[in-house]
Amino acid sequence: MSAASPSSAIDEMGGAIFPHRHLLGIAGLHPHEITFLLDEAEQWIALNRGKAKHDDRLAGLTQINAFFENSTRTLLSFEIAGKRLGMDVVNMAVAQSSVKKGETLIDTAITLNAMRPDVIVIRHESSGAVHLIADKVDCPVLNAGDGRHEHPTQALLDALTIRRRKGRIAGLTVAICGDVLHSRVARSNILALGTLGADVRVVGPPTLLPAEIERMGVTAFTDFDAGLEGADVVMMLRLQRERMAGGFVPSPREYHALYGLTPERLQRAAPDALVMHPGPMNRGVEISSSVADDLNRSAIPEQVEMGVALRMACLDVLTRRRRGVAGW
């Protein structure tokens, strides 16, 4: 993603312009650009909590959700987001598509582009696949997760959740715990929260922490209890066994004993620490049910709610030039 210079981006943002054609990752975004997207999402929270959950500002536009990888929360929230904004939303059934007949990713991109969509949302198991498609189409592209690379809207909705619950992000200590190695969510959150001024820790067994992770500006812990000490936010990650080849961890029971978030372990964090998880959860593995379902500490259902509002904001912002919105 190419980023505008700080000065020109600020001028554009003053005119309510997001200076990027696509949203492919958090890398390359300036703090005020991230904050702009969070602020834009606030209006949609109120609409989604009302009786009439609909706005026609994107009526007549077409959104294609091309998910080459399984998804529940992300796919549903993008579909709901597009429909609540009035768009015609089409979910591409990859299992029944020509991809299964050997069609290349580039040919798929050319085919989708020929249908003249106004925005494409893509999820793919290969890192960089979304960038490849974005280079071949004429409309904005939103990355809904590509391999181990990034999942930008998840990081943005997490930042929105934290900001609403804590009132700020700068100065908070955030512990991202578990399978950091295979997690695009972890990568995007490290970038987003670090850019917004949080003190980010990564916590996990040595086999699940990337080599030289400290270069991303985080502090790494292999001792779970030490990593939780005084944390304002504890973000647990799912063990992504589908991306593992080999013995990264012992049995799920042993993993839970060493790195599972329990009420006892949570006491090491700040008294008002917020518990988060991007889902889907492995209950009894990385997190106990009593913690996940704690209404006072867990923000997991709120993360799902914020996902719809944040994705509405992204769809709105990235299509403004195509709609000829004044000032764009």
Side-chain angles (χ1 to χ4, degrees), residues 23-27 29 34-35 37-38 74 78 123 143-145 149-163 169 174 176 183-196 233 235 237 276-278 303 306-307 310-311 314:
L23 182 61
L24 305 182
I26 300 298
L29 296 185
I34 296 174
T35 301
L37 292 174
L38 303 187
T74 305
F78 266 116
R123 186 183 188 98
N143 183 358
H149 178 234
E150 280 217 48
H151 194 346
T153 57
Q154 180 68 48
L156 292 169
L157 73 88
D158 289 340
L160 181 62
T161 303
I162 294 170
R163 192 177 74 168
I169 292 175
V174 181
I176 301 176
S183 178
R184 57 197 175 204
V185 171
R187 178 177 175 82
S188 287
N189 265 297
I190 288 169
L191 292 168
L193 298 175
T195 298
L196 295 176
V233 179
M235 184 180 297
L237 301 172
M276 305 179 73
H277 195 303
Q303 287 174 267
M306 293 304 107
L310 187 282
R311 285 159 180 146
C314 291

Side-chain angles (χ1 to χ4, degrees), residues 23 36 39 61 93 108 112 125 133 180 202 205 255-256 264:
L23 182 61
F36 172 71
D39 292 344
L61 273 61
T108 298
L112 294 177
E125 65 271 13
I133 292 177
V180 179
V202 293
Y255 182 84
H256 182 70
E264 295 74 27

Side-chain angles (χ1 to χ4, degrees), residues 202-327:
V202 293
V203 187
T207 54
L208 293 179
L209 293 180
E212 300 182 334
I213 184 67
E214 293 86 355
R215 288 188 177 183
M216 293 189 71
V218 302
T219 305
F221 292 82
T222 55
D223 183 320
F224 191 28
D225 292 335
L228 291 178
E229 197 68 42
D232 300 296
V233 179
V234 180
M235 184 180 297
M236 302 305 298
L237 301 172
R238 178 179 65 88
L239 272 180
Q240 299 191 38
R241 293 187 176 275
E242 71 276 12
R243 302 187 193 278
M244 297 181 187
F248 284 88
V249 297
S251 69
R253 179 178 296 180
E254 291 176 281
Y255 182 84
H256 182 70
L258 292 171
Y259 292 97
L261 186 62
T262 62
E264 295 74 27
R265 278 218 166 93
L266 186 56
Q267 291 179 13
R268 292 183 175 273
D272 60 346
L274 193 64
V275 175
M276 305 179 73
H277 195 303
M281 289 184 289
N282 291 315
R283 291 174 179 263
V285 181
E286 71 266 7
I287 189 169
S288 68
S289 291
S290 57
V291 174
D293 300 332
D294 185 336
L295 297 179
N296 295 318
R297 307 294 288 277
S298 175
I300 296 170
E302 189 174 346
Q303 287 174 267
V304 178
E305 180 188 7
M306 293 304 107
V308 177
L310 187 282
R311 285 159 180 146
M312 290 175 75
C314 291
L315 291 168
D316 175 24
V317 166
L318 289 178
T319 57
R320 285 178 184 174
R321 284 191 179 89
R322 298 178 72 82
R323 290 181 282 138
V325 175

